[in-house]
Structures are given as C-alpha cells and as structure tokens.
Amino acid sequence: MKFTETLATRIALVSLFLPVALCAQQSQRISSGAMNNATPATTVRGNAEQGRPVPAIRNPRYRINRSDILSLTFPLTPEFNQPKVMVQPDGYVTLQGAGSVFIQGLTVPETVEAVKKAYSKTLHEPIVDIDLIDFQKAYFVVLGQVSKPGQYDLRYDMTVTEAIALAGGFAATAKTQVFLYHRVPDGGWLEAKELKLKDILHGKNVEEDAAMRPGDMIFVPEKTITKIRKYVPYGVGTSVSTSPSSYF
C-alpha cells in the first residue's frame, strides 16, 4: 500500500513539474537562438568598424547627389516654400531664412530632419515636405571587350546578358568570362563576382545571370582571368583597365 502511494505521489509530482521544465528548456533554446541570430549583426558592425566589406542593405533608399533638385513645402508656413532647390557642387543647399545645410549623401527622410533642424531656430516644430524633382538617374557601366563600352541608363529590370547586348554584344576578342562589380554601401569596396556567360547562353545555370543594380560595372576581359578577389577596394580615380592584374 505504501509503495502504491509513493509511486502515485511521484507520478503526480512529475506531471506537475514536467511542463515547467519543458517551458524552461524551450525558453533556454529561444534565448540561445536569439544570441545566435545576434552574432551576425555583431559581426557586421565589427566588420564595418574595421573597414571591411559588410553585407548590402536590402532595398536601400536613394541618397541625395550633387545637382539634384528638391521641392520644399511648409504646409503651416507657406511663405518658406521653395519650389526648386538645387544641391550645389559642394553638397550644400541654400534655404530661405535658414542658411546653408549639407545634405549630400542623405536620404529624403534624413534630409527632412536636417531641414527641420535648420529651421528650428526660426519656426516652432516646423513641418516640411520634401520631394525629389530631378535626380541622378540609375545607370551601369560596361567596360572591356564589347562593341560599345560606356555608361548606360538602367531604366528597367535588366540582367547582365541583356546589359552586354545593350552595349553591342561581345567583341571578336572577348571571352565569355564576365566580371560584375557592385559597390558595397558606405564601405569603399567593390564586390566582384565572376559569371561564365558561355554556360548561361547555352541554357546552363541560367539562374546565375545576375540582375543589374544601379552603379554596377561589367568588365569583359580579353584574356581569361583565373583568380579574382571577392572584394576590391576602390576610391576616387579607381577603375578597371583591360589588364586588371592589380585587382586579382
């Protein structure tokens, strides 16, 4: 009888504490998963601080460039409206009653905040709407062994093969080996990717026909290149020549 009562008591205790233990174990797993998910973000910040390439931002916002034209509207104080404000070569805009403000490289929402701050000494909690009237059009560049190398407008969704076709196709001296360079945002680096269009044009690995993004550069070499660096540093004056040995 005592054995039966003891066994029943143990079963009751297990039934009582088992859900609690499982919940605790699940919480521990969730916490561990959150820590693991946080690791890449920490690594990304660390890489950025060390000046190394970081992953590209998904759906990046347009950033203001020189010669862009903005429209400033103040719904509550229309006397400060400015229908056309051009970004000067030094990146500044001149605001009526607020002086000059540097906005080059800012997104439109960031520009709104910068303008609000500039008018905060004149207006109490200013409200301003900013629209882009004219801006730098999306483009890409094709260099190397193509019929018409140069810069082209990126007006619609386009793949690398379509971009090469727009540049007149391969020259007689070209290889079907192609390199696609994409700028890493705020990193001073180019991300380099090798594409073997011969396979793509023959219906193999067609999913590797990469989509073009604004500012991308395509290079078609005359000689086959066997080694390539995934990330290439760039700066003012950096370009890819027909003998890019220093980049690989």
Side-chain angles (χ1 to χ4, degrees):
M1 185 66 179
K2 292 182 179 180
F3 174 76
T4 304
E5 291 177 355
T6 303
L7 179 60
T9 302
R10 290 181 179 178
I11 292 175
L13 290 174
V14 170
S15 301
L16 179 63
F17 290 105
L18 181 59
V20 178
L22 290 176
C23 289
Q25 185 178 11
Q26 185 176 5
S27 300
Q28 185 177 6
R29 288 178 180 175
I30 292 174
S31 300
S32 299
M35 290 297 291
N36 291 336
N37 291 334
T39 300
T42 304
T43 303
V44 168
R45 288 195 295 269
N47 287 342
E49 293 172 357
Q50 296 174 16
R52 290 181 291 184
V54 297
I57 301 174
R58 185 181 296 274
N59 301 323
R61 298 294 298 266
Y62 177 81
R63 296 190 175 275
I64 305 298
N65 286 287
R66 293 183 293 269
S67 299
D68 286 356
I69 299 178
L70 311 175
S71 172
L72 277 62
T73 305
F74 293 79
L76 302 181
T77 51
E79 62 271 19
F80 288 98
N81 289 352
Q82 291 181 257
K84 289 186 178 181
V85 179
M86 177 177 287
V87 182
Q88 300 170 9
D90 56 4
Y92 283 84
V93 290
T94 302
L95 303 177
Q96 178 182 335
S100 297
V101 178
F102 185 82
I103 65 169
Q104 182 179 340
L106 301 182
T107 64
V108 172
E110 291 170 346
T111 303
V112 170
E113 295 303 318
V115 172
K116 284 182 178 180
K117 183 177 180 181
Y119 278 100
S120 61
K121 298 179 180 179
T122 305
L123 303 174
H124 177 66
E125 296 183 356
I127 298 176
V128 58
D129 297 324
I130 297 180
D131 294 317
L132 274 171
I133 297 178
D134 193 10
F135 50 91
Q136 185 182 79
K137 306 300 187 296
Y139 70 93
F140 64 93
V141 176
V142 184
L143 298 175
Q145 304 304 304
V146 292
S147 298
K148 297 183 293 182
Q151 178 176 309
Y152 294 87
D153 291 339
L154 185 61
R155 298 180 180 274
Y156 50 86
D157 292 340
M158 182 182 302
T159 64
V160 172
T161 54
E162 292 172 331
I164 292 176
L166 188 62
F170 291 111
T173 55
K175 299 292 183 182
T176 51
Q177 181 189 40
V178 172
F179 294 97
L180 175 64
Y181 297 87
H182 177 71
R183 291 187 181 184
V184 178
D186 302 327
W189 295 79
L190 290 172
E191 181 182 6
K193 183 178 182 180
E194 179 184 4
L195 301 174
K196 296 181 180 179
L197 292 196
K198 183 177 181 180
D199 293 340
I200 296 174
L201 295 174
H202 283 81
K204 299 178 181 179
N205 303 323
V206 292
E207 70 279 357
E208 294 184 6
D209 190 8
M212 298 294 297
R213 290 182 283 182
D216 279 358
M217 179 172 62
I218 297 172
F219 175 69
V220 181
E222 183 177 1
K223 298 179 180 180
T224 301
I225 298 174
T226 57
K227 294 182 180 179
I228 177 174
R229 292 169 58 187
K230 185 175 181 180
Y231 291 102
V232 180
Y234 80 94
V236 178
T238 299
S239 62
V240 177
S241 65
T242 54
S243 300
S245 57
S246 59
Y247 299 98
F248 300 92

